[in-house]
């Protein structure tokens, strides 16, 4: 039986490699979607329950915090607030990061609204000639963050039941962006294109009633869009969790890492969709230090669902590599993980972070030595090139 399963996995890998190598994307997607359709037919109860759980997660954790915040942010944008911020804070924010002043618009939007608006406005700045391709590549890596209300409200308050934990996640995620900016920093240059005939500006209509109406409509569309992603990926993740191959891989990782299975499931599935991953980790029987650190990693990485949204804005630019973006987000996730871990070591965890459903820290780190060595080699190579011009 094991041999047959092994052969099946090998054949699946060979098929995927062949389809990707020869750019048979349509065939690949047809196979994947057919698999999900079959699961819908064979396991309707599982899919319906997963859809209901996704909707509950959205309406209890995301909607109450995101909807009013998006309305207020939309009103701020309508009254040119972000451009006002950019005027005063642009040089202060962008120049130290090696970016032009105009890039501060996307940075501020990202800090206020989170994924994927930072990438959206970064692409608009590039289309208008305010930044060049290298600056766009850097900007979409930095201006791609979880929103403060998602971290503080949805994850910290609703999922973890501790607002202070949300503030720690916010601190770690934003500081990891600063570190990424330092790693990617290059000497500031004027944009290649000088045709700055347009800028991103708010509407001239300052009628409060009209602004409020359009802000609410936009907030409804945005939150429903987010909710749709949460629901559909809740179903997809439920199908994956009940897959035989996934459970075998999960058991193998469990035996090597000694992490609880529900925590491992949250981490792996969170790489696909961050909201469900954070929820699984918050409810898992895992030490709260590791729980927060892994949630911090997932929020900084963002998950494949959000990366797909980012790619919907950047795919038209051949000079922008989505693979490079994913690698950078992984590095940012690792940095955020480390910042959260170090921060917790210096905090009074008994008074600041108390989770009754978390277990003591009993994790063997021997299995992580190869990963740490690879990270050390990478950063050693990077800094040797920067400091000593080693090729």
């Amino acid at each position: 039986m094991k041999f047959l399963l092994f052969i099946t996995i090998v054949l699946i890998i060979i098929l995927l490699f062949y389809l990707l190598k020869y750019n048979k994307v349509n065939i690949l997607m047809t196979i994947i979607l057919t698999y999900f359709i079959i699961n819908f037919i064979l396991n309707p109860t599982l899919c319906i329950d997963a859809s209901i759980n996704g909707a509950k997660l959205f309406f209890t954790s995301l909607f109450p915090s995101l909807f009013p915040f998006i309305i207020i942010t939309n009103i701020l944008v309508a009254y040119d607030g972000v451009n006002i911020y950019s005027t005063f804070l642009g040089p202060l924010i962008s120049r130290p990061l090696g970016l032009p002043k105009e890039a501060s618009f996307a940075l501020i939007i990202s800090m206020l609204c989170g994924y994927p608006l930072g990438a959206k406005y970064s692409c608009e700045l590039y289309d208008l000639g305010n930044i060049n391709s290298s600056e766009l590549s850097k900007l979409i890596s930095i201006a791609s963050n979880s929103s403060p209300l998602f971290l503080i409200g949805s994850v910290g308050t609703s999922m973890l039941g501790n607002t202070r934990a949300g503030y720690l996640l916010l601190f770690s995620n934003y500081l990891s962006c600063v570190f990424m900016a330092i790693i990617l920093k290059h000497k500031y240059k004027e944009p290649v294109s000088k045709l700055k005939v347009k800028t991103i500006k708010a509407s001239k209509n300052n009628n409060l009633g009209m602004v409020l109406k359009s802000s609410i409509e936009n907030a409804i569309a945005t939150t429903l869009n987010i909710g749709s992603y949460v629901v559909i990926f809740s179903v997809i993740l439920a199908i994956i969790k009940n897959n035989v191959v996934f459970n075998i891989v999960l058991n193998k990782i469990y035996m090597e890492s000694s992490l609880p299975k529900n925590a491992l499931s949250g981490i792996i599935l969170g790489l696909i969709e961050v909201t469900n991953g954070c929820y699984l980790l918050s409810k898992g029987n895992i030490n709260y230090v590791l729980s927060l650190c892994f949630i911090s990693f997932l929020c900084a990485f963002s998950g494949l669902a959000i990366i797909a949204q980012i790619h919907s804005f950047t795919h038209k630019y051949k000079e922008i590599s989505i693979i490079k973006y994913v690698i950078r987000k992984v590095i940012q996730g690792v940095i955020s993980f480390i910042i959260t871990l170090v921060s917790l070591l210096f905090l009074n965890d008994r008074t600041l972070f108390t989770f009754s459903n978390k277990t003591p820290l009993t994790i063997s780190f021997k299995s992580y030595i190869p990963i740490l060595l690879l990270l050390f080699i990478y950063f050693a190579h990077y800094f040797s090139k920067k400091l000593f011009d080693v090729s």
Side-chain angles (χ1 to χ4, degrees):
M1 186 66 181
K2 288 185 178 180
F3 177 75
L4 182 62
L5 184 62
F6 175 77
I7 294 296
T8 304
I9 294 173
V10 170
L11 290 175
I12 291 172
I13 293 172
I14 293 173
L15 177 63
L16 290 175
F17 177 78
Y18 171 80
L19 293 174
L20 291 173
K21 182 179 179 180
Y22 293 100
N23 200 26
K24 306 286 186 179
V25 180
N26 290 343
I27 298 175
L28 177 62
M29 290 304 298
T30 301
I31 294 172
I32 294 173
L33 293 173
T34 300
Y35 169 75
F36 285 118
I37 290 171
I38 292 172
N39 274 275
F40 268 90
I41 296 172
L42 297 179
N43 301 298
T45 304
L46 172 70
C47 296
I48 292 171
D49 288 344
S51 181
I52 293 172
N53 290 333
K56 286 181 180 177
L57 175 62
F58 168 66
F59 281 108
T60 58
S61 297
L62 291 177
F63 187 82
S65 58
L66 291 180
F67 182 68
F69 183 76
I70 292 174
I71 293 175
I72 294 171
T73 305
N74 287 337
I75 296 173
L76 175 69
V77 172
Y79 281 96
D80 213 21
V82 177
N83 274 315
I84 293 171
Y85 283 152
S86 300
T87 302
F88 290 99
L89 302 178
L92 205 64
I93 295 174
S94 301
R95 293 301 174 93
L97 304 180
L99 291 167
K101 181 182 71 174
E102 291 79 6
S104 62
F105 185 95
L107 291 169
I108 293 171
I109 283 287
S110 179
M111 291 173 63
L112 291 174
C113 304
Y115 301 112
L117 293 183
K120 175 181 181 294
Y121 285 104
S122 298
C123 293
E124 288 192 16
L125 288 170
Y126 179 67
D127 290 336
L128 295 172
N130 290 294
I131 57 177
N132 58 33
S133 59
S134 63
E135 290 163 347
L136 172 63
S137 178
K138 177 180 177 178
L139 185 58
I140 60 172
S141 299
I142 301 171
S144 295
N145 314 293
S146 296
S147 70
L149 255 293
F150 175 75
L151 294 170
I152 299 170
S154 301
V155 179
T157 305
S158 298
M159 296 183 191
L160 294 171
N162 193 306
T163 304
R164 292 189 179 95
Y167 284 112
L168 175 62
L169 293 172
L170 181 68
F171 169 76
S172 300
N173 273 249
Y174 281 13
L175 189 57
S176 68
C177 285
V178 175
F179 276 105
M180 285 302 299
I182 294 171
I183 293 172
L184 300 173
K185 187 174 181 180
H186 61 276
K187 187 176 179 181
Y188 173 76
K189 296 179 181 179
E190 287 296 322
V192 174
S193 174
K194 301 293 183 180
L195 301 175
K196 298 183 183 180
V197 294
K198 297 180 181 179
T199 55
I200 302 173
K201 288 189 176 181
S203 172
K204 296 289 183 181
N205 186 2
N206 289 330
N207 181 284
L208 180 59
M210 292 300 297
V211 168
L212 186 60
K213 179 177 179 292
S214 61
S215 298
I216 291 174
E217 289 173 351
N218 178 269
I220 292 172
T222 303
T223 50
L224 286 179
N225 182 53
I226 294 170
S228 300
Y229 273 93
V230 172
V231 171
I232 189 60
F233 275 95
S234 294
V235 176
I236 292 172
L237 295 183
I239 293 172
I240 294 173
K241 283 174 67 177
N242 285 271
N243 183 274
V244 176
V245 176
F246 173 79
N247 283 285
I248 291 173
V249 173
L250 191 66
N251 287 328
K252 291 290 184 183
I253 299 174
Y254 168 72
M255 293 173 64
E256 293 293 328
S257 66
S258 301
L259 282 169
K261 284 186 181 180
N262 52 2
L264 282 172
S265 178
I267 295 166
I268 295 171
L269 298 178
L271 295 175
I272 301 174
E273 204 283 314
V274 65
T275 306
N276 280 279
C278 291
Y279 179 78
L280 290 172
L281 281 169
S282 69
K283 303 304 177 186
N285 186 26
I286 180 176
N287 171 267
Y288 77 86
V289 173
L290 286 180
S291 178
L292 280 177
C293 289
F294 282 123
I295 288 174
S296 182
F297 170 84
L298 292 179
C299 291
F301 173 68
S302 75
L304 297 180
I306 291 177
I307 289 173
Q309 296 178 57
I310 302 294
H311 189 49
S312 68
F313 298 117
T314 63
H315 75 281
K316 57 184 177 182
Y317 310 117
K318 293 182 179 180
E319 58 271 34
I320 302 300
S321 170
I322 191 64
I323 295 176
K324 184 182 292 185
Y325 172 80
V326 172
I327 293 172
R328 289 175 177 177
K329 294 305 291 182
V330 171
I331 296 172
Q332 183 183 338
V334 172
I335 293 172
S336 186
F337 179 102
I338 294 171
I339 293 171
T340 304
L341 180 61
V342 173
S343 299
L344 286 170
L345 293 177
F346 289 95
L347 289 173
N348 185 348
D349 55 275
R350 291 185 180 180
T351 58
L352 291 178
F353 304 99
T354 305
F355 301 95
S356 58
N357 64 327
K358 306 301 178 184
T359 59
L361 183 61
T362 56
I363 303 300
S364 173
F365 288 96
K366 290 181 180 179
S367 57
Y368 300 105
I369 290 177
I371 299 174
L372 295 174
L373 285 175
L374 286 174
L375 289 173
F376 175 78
I377 292 169
Y378 171 81
F379 283 112
H381 173 68
Y382 175 82
F383 285 112
S384 65
K385 286 176 65 178
K386 291 294 181 181
L387 295 177
F388 304 108
D389 196 27
V390 177
S391 60

